[in-house]
Amino acid sequence: MQITLEKMLKFPCTFTYKVIGLSQPELTNNIIKVIQIHIPGDYIPQIKSSNKGTYLSISVTICAKNFQQIENLYNELSKIHLVRMVL
């Protein structure tokens, strides 16, 4: 029996996205703008740079009301041109 992420979560819940993208000044702002459109709130991203400084890892925690919000936001964050991966 396979348990899906949707069945594991109880809503509302906190959910953290880790977004990895090219190290450009607008990356963090673009991520926060997309999140604000879907789930308005005050967000404090945790930002880490790769060893060579080529990439940034940005973690942002949201409060999701349902699984559809998590999926929609995942898809929208993936569309940002500087983003290489969303976990």
Side-chain angles (χ1 to χ4, degrees):
M1 183 170 129
Q2 188 175 7
I3 297 175
T4 63
L5 178 62
E6 184 173 9
K7 290 179 182 175
M8 291 173 55
L9 299 174
K10 297 211 184 301
F11 295 95
C13 71
T14 57
F15 190 86
T16 301
Y17 291 92
K18 182 177 270 190
V19 183
I20 299 168
L22 296 176
S23 182
Q24 297 293 319
E26 67 269 24
L27 177 62
T28 303
N29 288 338
N30 290 348
I31 291 168
I32 297 300
K33 280 181 193 173
V34 168
I35 293 172
Q36 288 286 0
I37 290 168
H38 293 274
I39 307 171
D42 293 325
Y43 298 101
I44 301 169
Q46 302 292 319
I47 304 168
K48 294 181 184 174
S49 182
S50 64
N51 289 339
K52 294 182 182 179
T54 308
Y55 298 98
L56 291 177
S57 169
I58 301 166
S59 297
V60 182
T61 301
I62 58 126
C63 182
K65 293 180 180 145
N66 55 56
F67 189 72
Q68 193 63 42
Q69 279 186 322
I70 291 173
E71 276 191 323
N72 289 343
L73 194 49
Y74 176 87
N75 291 329
E76 292 302 311
L77 290 170
S78 298
K79 292 177 186 176
I80 298 171
H81 75 282
L82 294 171
V83 169
R84 296 298 173 255
M85 188 182 310
V86 180
L87 305 171

